[in-house]
Amino acid sequence: MGLAYNVYLNSSRIYGCKGCKTHLSNHEDIISRNFRGQHGKAFLFNTVVNIKEAEPVERNMTTGRHVVRDISCKQCKEIVGWKYDKAYEQPEKYKEGKFILEAELLVNVR
Amino acid sequence: MVSPTSKRTTPSRRGHRRRLFERLSRISSSPQLSNFPKPIEVVAYPNKRTVSCVSLYTATGSGASTPTIALETVEIPYGTEGESLRISIPPRRKTRRDIWSGLPDEVKVGVLSWLTPRELVRCSAVNKKWHTLCFDGQLWSTLDATEYYDKIPVDQLAKIVTTAGPFVKYLNLRGCIQLTNDWRTPAIWNAPRNLLTATLEGCALSRASLQFLIIRNPTLLHLNLSGLPTVTNSIARLIAQSCPNLESLNVSWCANMDARGIRKIVEACPNLQELRACELERFDEAPVMIALWRANAVQRLHLAACPGLGDDAIRTLVLGPDPELDPFTNRPRTPPRRLLHLNLGRCTRLTDAALRALADNVPMLEGLELGGCVALTDVGFAALLPTLPRLTHLDLEECTEVTDATLVTLARGPAARRLTSVGVSYCENIGDPGVVELVRKCRALGNLECDNTRVSDLALTEAAHAVRYRPHTPGIPPHPASLSPRVALRLVIYDCAAITWSGVRGILARNVEAAAHPTPTTSTLRPDLLQLKCFYGWQPTVDAHLSRVLRGDPAALASANRLESRWADHMLASEEGVSTGAGAAARRRRRRAAMFAADDEDFGLGTAGFGFVGRRRGRGGCVVS
């Protein structure tokens, strides 16, 4: 119900969806850039806006078993990355609740 | 001296005097004053001894005044000999209902101008008169919807814009998608006539509406139409024809427009200083670059991610179509460009030839962003950087071919004293030598981003040392009044495999030391600290430590010290594992080896995965719509 407004971020460097340029996250929210996704480099972000989450699935990644859910842009419905719901291994616990956005599907908005 | 017919018996005299002065100060251009039957009379009472008397008595007297209004005469002390001024004013009423309606409209609007837009809209629902008042154009000369774009319904927004119409000077309707398909929308876009600034990013307006808006506002100075699919080259021609005073234009990501439109605007608007045209096509054609070269007015140029942008285009931008050759040096010569900021990020076709073309021709350049231009190498920068004496910002993210030689050139170049921000993230060939040289030579460096590079703990200690003993810039006297510490350099070093927790610990210790003993010899009395953005696991500890050190008082420093030692113990304990028996050293060695080989999908720096303080950035703390 109601119009789906976009959230706009205020920062000097903002990452946005490649297709529709909706704001997704800040440069300051990056936790790590040493990740790899299906399309190459991926970044781990603290908070992401303007996304829709899909259903959680359990996946086996190179670092172990995780429960993740795909996230997609609210506007153009393209998948931009995933979110870690649960990590089964202890050293990976810091990722829970954080988002991965693939660098190929991002642009620098501002 | 109060007559018995007065309405009040004698409360304190002070109350009387206060109320009297309030009433006097409310006398303004009120319509009630026209009912004054008696003029103000000045009476001198030479025999008055009591100077402090302010007496109220009704001056009904002799029926000369109209019977409906009984005036009261008051006396105010005036002069030095006990004279008093007698002024007749209408009596104070018990109810205050009529004060607002007695005010002239301009005063009412002035009162309402103190309200926020949201409160104004709410007040407009009081009655019809308030409705017209609240939507008066003077109150809405700045219409900035960034705080309430998602809360204001379309009818109120339409009402505001249509009634404010010619008064609106600054219009920001970013994200107002409620305007898309409403029947009121054409009226909205027809209303403003005198806009100076218009930001319409994210409002999907129709082509006709956009045309109306542009034609009707010849005074436009700043225009932001980024991301709109209705912006085409014909719209650009319209802008060129209608808005000659344009100073700043943002048409980034307008997919249906290309460089030909930009050319028309550049040729028609001589004052254009800022141009943002990211991701527009056809910038490889010569005419637009020739137009930019000829105008030489643009100071901030953002052409990030333009797919066609190549070396020839940059060369034409800087040198012109047919540069004359200097007879002595046989190099092309042209008047220097006025560029202050140049953003060519993600233009993957750029090579060193573009850098060589830029060299010597942009002497006033202060900001240069070349992040994502992977083909650039040290050779080009060696040619370019020595010719930029005023450089303050440099961004070379993901330029993987760049090595330490570029940082050394930068540090030894003419801009070393002015550099404030350098970004070399993801440049895998950058290591300690370059970074050390940079922090040693660049005194004003405030922000250094070298994540995903090869910097190690040595660079950290060098940076701390350099910051602590920074020579003072002459001409700016140090102010001894505030000795509180401040962050002088922000280092971003997450994902660097060679940074270990002991290096970070060293920085924390140095911060405490710098805050505790500021070095007066360098004549900068404020202790300068380092702020780190490091591996996520340690970040809470580092942040907590920094906030304690920033307080500066000895108790805070002591608690910071305790925090640091506790964290060090924790890291040591977790490194050595549960048992410190045989094989612990071998286990440590193996873990270190695995750490350096970490890639693919995750980042694991030892088993110490989380900060000691325990304030985890909680799960589920996401901002989802």
Side-chain angles (χ1 to χ4, degrees):
Chain A
M1 156 68 193
L3 292 169
Y5 290 96
N6 276 346
V7 176
Y8 288 93
L9 298 170
N10 265 339
S11 170
S12 52
R13 284 175 69 172
I14 301 180
Y15 292 102
C17 170
K18 191 170 192 164
C20 57
K21 314 289 181 296
T22 36
H23 291 197
L24 288 176
S25 189
N26 280 338
H27 184 78
E28 281 81 36
D29 271 343
I30 291 185
I31 299 171
S32 170
R33 299 214 245 187
N34 219 340
F35 285 81
R36 283 225 138 21
Q38 294 155 338
H39 307 270
K41 275 200 304 212
F43 305 156
L44 181 68
F45 283 90
N46 210 353
T47 53
V48 175
V49 295
N50 288 332
I51 51 158
K52 231 183 169 90
E53 298 176 4
E55 291 307 310
V57 293
E58 192 171 296
R59 262 189 229 158
N60 260 330
M61 311 212 168
T62 46
T63 41
R65 263 192 330 150
H66 293 89
V67 177
V68 297
R69 40 173 99 202
D70 286 329
I71 49 182
S72 50
C73 170
K74 199 165 64 167
Q75 201 89 344
C76 58
K77 316 282 189 284
E78 300 273 335
I79 292 201
V80 287
W82 65 88
K83 174 188 174 188
Y84 285 106
D85 259 1
K86 186 166 159 50
Y88 287 103
E89 266 130 69
Q90 193 58 20
E92 316 296 325
K93 283 280 178 194
Y94 73 97
K95 292 193 235 170
E96 289 186 0
K98 307 282 183 276
F99 302 82
I100 295 261
L101 294 178
E102 311 227 9
E104 285 302 307
L105 308 172
L106 286 181
V107 287
N108 262 328
V109 174
R110 193 179 318 174
Chain B
M1 292 223 338
V2 178
S3 97
T5 55
S6 99
K7 287 207 171 109
R8 268 182 302 278
T9 53
T10 47
S12 64
R13 277 260 175 97
R14 271 200 214 109
H16 270 290
R17 211 179 300 156
R18 185 179 44 91
R19 280 194 290 272
L20 161 70
F21 281 124
E22 276 175 40
R23 284 159 66 189
L24 283 178
S25 59
R26 255 186 263 123
I27 292 178
S28 60
S29 58
S30 164
Q32 283 174 332
L33 280 183
S34 56
N35 292 335
F36 249 121
K38 278 196 193 156
I40 297 176
E41 37 185 329
V42 181
V43 176
Y45 287 151
N47 292 332
K48 271 279 191 246
R49 293 296 142 114
T50 53
V51 183
S52 64
C53 76
V54 175
S55 55
L56 291 171
Y57 53 93
T58 52
T60 46
S62 65
S65 53
T66 53
T68 49
I69 295 183
L71 291 175
E72 293 187 10
T73 314
V74 299
E75 290 185 17
I76 320 172
Y78 176 78
T80 47
E81 291 132 16
E83 304 161 342
S84 56
L85 191 66
R86 203 168 73 171
I87 296 184
S88 310
I89 55 175
R92 176 191 158 188
R93 298 172 202 272
K94 277 242 165 70
T95 55
R96 290 180 183 246
R97 251 182 281 129
D98 285 353
I99 288 187
W100 179 260
S101 57
L103 291 176
D105 279 342
E106 292 83 5
V107 177
K108 289 184 194 166
V109 169
V111 167
L112 290 174
S113 67
W114 291 93
L115 296 177
T116 66
R118 189 159 190 186
E119 290 165 353
L120 268 178
V121 172
R122 283 200 184 143
C123 287
S124 68
V126 171
N127 57 26
K128 278 215 183 93
K129 290 191 192 144
W130 277 64
H131 195 74
T132 34
L133 273 180
C134 287
F135 286 128
D136 188 78
Q138 291 175 30
L139 299 168
W140 296 101
S141 73
T142 299
L143 184 54
D144 188 352
T146 40
E147 279 133 37
Y148 50 86
Y149 66 93
D150 48 351
K151 301 186 192 74
I152 188 169
V154 60
D155 52 343
Q156 280 167 3
L157 190 57
K159 171 83 180 168
I160 296 173
V161 179
T162 39
T163 50
F167 287 92
V168 178
K169 290 215 158 22
Y170 174 81
L171 181 67
N172 185 336
L173 293 177
R174 182 175 75 164
C176 288
I177 58 175
Q178 69 266 50
L179 295 173
T180 310
N181 282 327
D182 200 68
W183 58 272
R184 287 166 267 239
T185 326
I188 293 182
W189 302 121
N190 275 331
R193 301 288 164 99
N194 294 320
L195 284 180
L196 293 182
T197 307
T199 304
L200 304 172
E201 180 187 347
C203 316
L205 55 163
S206 70
R207 190 153 160 251
S209 308
L210 187 57
Q211 283 172 341
F212 277 134
L213 191 70
I214 293 174
I215 290 179
R216 290 222 157 82
N217 290 289
T219 48
L220 268 175
L221 293 181
H222 309 277
L223 186 57
N224 182 341
L225 298 170
S226 52
L228 294 181
T230 42
V231 175
T232 60
N233 287 336
S234 54
I235 298 276
R237 189 176 57 221
L238 208 59
I239 296 177
Q241 283 168 357
S242 326
C243 311
N245 298 332
L246 201 63
E247 284 181 13
S248 124
L249 179 66
N250 185 344
V251 284
S252 307
W253 311 296
C254 294
N256 293 328
M257 179 166 148
D258 58 38
R260 293 175 291 177
I262 299 283
R263 174 191 170 193
K264 291 184 198 126
I265 296 178
V266 169
E267 282 170 357
C269 303
N271 294 339
L272 193 66
Q273 284 176 9
E274 179 175 344
L275 178 61
R276 291 185 189 239
C278 303
E279 241 184 74
L280 292 191
E281 304 262 340
R282 295 181 75 148
F283 264 103
D284 45 344
E285 292 172 6
V288 60
M289 290 302 182
I290 295 177
L292 278 168
W293 173 78
R294 204 167 277 143
N296 197 11
V298 177
Q299 290 181 356
R300 290 170 202 281
L301 186 59
H302 293 252
L303 295 174
C306 290
L309 204 60
D311 297 334
D312 294 330
I314 298 291
R315 205 184 139 83
T316 319
L317 170 69
V318 175
L319 294 174
D322 196 10
E324 59 175 49
L325 294 180
D326 193 13
F328 298 109
T329 60
N330 225 18
R331 275 176 24 205
R333 188 180 61 173
T334 175
R337 306 290 97 200
R338 294 213 189 104
L339 279 171
L340 291 182
H341 189 101
L342 186 59
N343 180 351
L344 298 171
R346 294 215 185 184
C347 295
T348 43
R349 285 173 54 182
L350 290 183
T351 67
D352 290 334
L355 297 182
R356 269 194 287 263
L358 280 174
D360 274 329
N361 288 317
V362 281
M364 305 211 279
L365 199 67
E366 289 174 9
L368 183 59
E369 291 181 49
L370 294 168
C373 302
V374 290
L376 301 177
T377 70
D378 290 335
V379 176
F381 284 111
L384 174 61
L385 291 177
T387 66
L388 299 176
R390 299 171 76 147
L391 196 64
T392 54
H393 287 73
L394 182 64
D395 183 15
L396 298 175
E397 184 179 321
E398 290 185 30
C399 295
T400 40
E401 309 280 330
V402 169
T403 69
D404 293 319
T406 303
L407 289 187
V408 172
T409 322
L410 192 59
R412 293 188 188 161
R417 303 274 170 90
R418 285 180 182 243
L419 268 177
T420 49
S421 164
V422 175
V424 284
S425 321
Y426 250 110
C427 299
E428 277 133 21
N429 295 323
I430 300 272
D432 283 341
V435 172
V436 165
E437 188 74 16
L438 198 68
V439 293
R440 269 195 201 148
K441 293 275 169 58
C442 300
R443 302 178 193 164
L445 196 64
N447 186 21
L448 176 58
E449 301 187 10
C450 41
D451 52 285
N452 281 305
T453 58
R454 289 203 204 141
V455 291
S456 70
D457 298 337
L458 172 66
L460 283 186
T461 43
E462 281 293 326
H465 187 269
V467 164
R468 178 115 186 262
Y469 295 103
R470 260 186 187 170
H472 168 61
T473 37
I476 305 172
H479 42 121
S482 57
L483 290 179
S484 55
R486 60 156 187 185
V487 172
L489 175 60
R490 182 174 168 260
L491 278 179
V492 178
I493 45 164
Y494 55 84
D495 287 348
C496 293
I499 303 259
T500 64
W501 69 267
S502 49
V504 175
R505 182 194 178 187
I507 295 291
L508 300 184
R510 275 173 183 262
N511 273 349
V512 172
E513 190 192 325
H517 308 285
T519 43
T521 50
T522 66
S523 72
T524 161
L525 294 179
R526 301 189 75 179
D528 288 339
L529 309 177
L530 242 65
Q531 179 184 5
L532 292 181
K533 182 169 172 177
C534 56
F535 171 56
Y536 169 74
W538 312 327
Q539 191 65 45
T541 315
V542 172
D543 285 341
H545 190 272
L546 185 69
S547 62
R548 289 179 201 189
V549 175
L550 277 176
R551 287 209 297 257
D553 52 291
L557 293 182
S559 81
N561 269 332
R562 282 196 302 270
L563 175 65
E564 180 214 324
S565 50
R566 275 204 316 248
W567 180 58
D569 292 339
H570 167 85
M571 299 294 289
L572 277 172
S574 56
E575 247 192 24
E576 284 167 14
V578 177
S579 69
T580 54
R587 245 182 288 138
R588 245 178 299 164
R589 241 183 294 124
R590 257 181 279 127
R591 219 178 290 133
R592 279 272 157 98
M595 200 166 70
F596 280 112
D599 53 354
D600 276 45
E601 188 70 45
D602 207 348
F603 180 83
L605 190 65
T607 54
F610 29 89
F612 171 69
V613 182
R615 273 187 284 116
R616 311 263 296 275
R617 302 224 179 115
R619 25 188 115 175
C622 55
V623 179
V624 178
S625 60

